[in-house]
Each structure stands twice: as C-alpha cells, then as structure tokens.
Amino acid sequence: MAFEVIAQTRKAQGTGASRRLRNAGKVPGIIYGGKKAAQPIELDHNAIYHQLRDEKFHASILSMSLDGANEQVLLRAVNMHPYKPQVQHLDFQRVSADEKIHMKVPLHFINAESSPAVKEQGALVSHVMNDVDVRCLPADLPEFIVVDLAAITVGKSIHARDLELPKGVELALRGTENPSVVTAQIPKAIASEEEEAAAAAGAEAAPAAADVPAAKQKPEAAEAAAPEKGKESGKK
C-alpha cells in the first residue's frame, strides 16, 4: 500500500513566512521534476513527522495529494531542527512510470547468528553500509534489499556486486567500483587474549624441555656426550 502525503500550495515564501508556517504546525517544502516547474508546498507537521519515522517511507513511491490532484513522488531531502524533534523542510521529486529513478534502498541483514564466523569463531559482523544506491523503474523499486550472512566466514567481506537484486533493479556504481557492504572479524580483545594464551603456553613448555634427564634425550645427543665423558676419565 502506497503512502499518501497531503500537501497544499505554499503561497507565502521567504524566511519569515517559513517561520510562521512552522509556528502554525506546518512544514514548508518543495516539489520539483518532471515537465512541471518547481512548486513550493506546505504540509501538516504531525502527520509527516510520524510518516518519516517509518523506514519504508524513505524508499517508496509516495502518492501526494496536492490541492486535491494526485502525483507520484519520491522524498529526496529532509531537514531537521538541530536539537528539536521538528521537521524544518522537505524536498520531493515527481516521478514518471516510464523513467528510471536513482534511489538509496536500505539493506536488511539476516542469518548472522548462524554463520560460521559468528557461531563457530565468535566473530563480530560489521555493517559497512546500511543502504545502497540503485537504479530502476518506479514500479520495480524495492522497499529493502536482503543481505544473507549465512555463509560469511572470518576475514571475508560481502561486496555490493555480491548482492542479490530484485528483477529490474541495478546498482548505481561506476566502472569497477565494488564497495564492501559487511565484514566479519575476530574482536581485537579476543584475538589478544588468544595470543597471550599461546605465548604463555610456549613459555611453560620451554623450562619443561630443559629439565628432561640425559637418559631421556635422543640417542644422538647421548652418543655425542659419551666421548666427552671418556676423555674426562682418561685425564684422571
């Protein structure tokens, strides 16, 4: 089900007008693109604020009712107040059914707990990217892309070109660009503990080897020692 955004044409413009809109519980914005000119709009703050909290809202084709006329749009930019839960400004772009769009789509990671890296080696899985740029027709735009981590091992990475994309969707990458999406590494603290344990085991083994009686040494070592003892007896 498509999200519906209700908007009205914004007649008053400028910093002072925008401030008055916000004080009245409205959000100034703009809609652009397509064959129409850019148009200033205003929206109800509470309604749009709650819609913005839904991840799908940011990567979906939205149905905007502008002065009663419906248009298909994408949310392109959101400006928030530095410290208040207040939306300052919104940018929307018109879309056409027969024209490809460029969009950031969120990544959903699954099966990390059952992967060899985590289950067998206690590795830490790091998400290098949380979304990816794609190109597709509006009708093919996915809400998210799944990243299956079931086979990831320590020291390995999954790259953007390794992702399984829905039909009609392509990555918006240039040339041989292939950024890392997720990696699996042993945490430094655990690795350090393992190294210290190995070093301690080696230190304990060294004195034990030095205390081995001559009778238990290798035959070659015993034979080499025998002539020396004979020489010492002859001198006496």
Side-chain angles (χ1 to χ4, degrees):
M1 182 178 179
F3 289 94
E4 185 177 12
V5 179
I6 309 297
Q8 295 82 37
T9 297
R10 174 163 53 99
K11 298 178 181 179
Q13 299 182 45
T15 303
S18 294
R19 187 183 301 111
R20 287 191 292 273
L21 272 178
R22 297 185 189 105
N23 291 337
K26 301 289 184 178
V27 180
I30 191 168
I31 179 173
Y32 60 88
K35 298 180 181 179
K36 298 180 181 179
Q39 185 173 355
I41 59 175
E42 61 182 67
L43 309 94
D44 179 74
H45 182 273
N46 288 342
I48 198 69
Y49 178 80
H50 286 93
Q51 287 178 317
L52 288 170
R53 298 178 67 180
D54 192 326
E55 178 189 68
K56 298 177 183 178
F57 188 80
H58 297 259
S60 298
I61 304 297
L62 311 174
S63 176
M64 176 177 284
S65 175
L66 178 58
D67 298 332
N70 290 324
E71 295 191 74
Q72 300 298 299
V73 301
L74 288 170
L75 177 64
R76 282 306 190 190
V78 181
N79 291 339
M80 298 293 297
H81 192 279
Y83 55 87
K84 295 180 181 179
Q86 183 184 57
V87 186
Q88 298 285 86
H89 194 276
L90 296 165
D91 290 7
F92 295 92
Q93 180 186 354
R94 300 183 184 93
V95 299
S96 300
D98 57 350
E99 293 182 4
K100 285 189 175 183
I101 56 176
H102 182 179
M103 193 73 178
K104 282 187 179 292
V105 174
L107 299 173
H108 284 192
F109 300 87
I110 62 171
N111 296 327
E113 295 80 6
S114 60
S115 68
V118 175
K119 189 175 181 180
E120 299 173 11
Q121 298 170 287
L124 179 66
V125 174
S126 299
H127 300 170
V128 182
M129 300 171 63
N130 290 312
D131 52 44
V132 65
D133 287 331
V134 302
R135 282 191 297 264
C136 63
L137 292 174
D140 296 328
L141 182 65
E143 293 180 356
F144 57 84
I145 293 173
V146 173
V147 184
D148 192 346
L149 304 176
I152 196 169
T153 56
V154 171
K156 299 296 182 180
S157 300
I158 294 177
H159 293 81
R161 296 186 187 276
D162 299 327
L163 301 177
E164 292 188 14
L165 303 176
K167 184 179 179 181
V169 179
E170 61 184 14
L171 293 173
L173 297 176
R174 292 172 290 184
T176 58
E177 186 181 8
N178 191 22
S180 177
V181 172
V182 62
T183 62
Q185 300 289 341
I186 298 293
K188 291 183 178 180
I190 295 178
S192 297
E193 289 176 2
E194 291 178 350
E195 290 174 1
E196 290 174 2
E204 291 175 0
D211 293 339
V212 175
K216 293 185 179 181
Q217 293 180 11
K218 290 184 178 180
E220 295 83 352
E223 290 175 4
E228 296 297 330
K229 291 182 178 179
K231 291 179 181 178
E232 292 176 0
S233 298
K235 289 178 181 179
K236 293 179 180 179

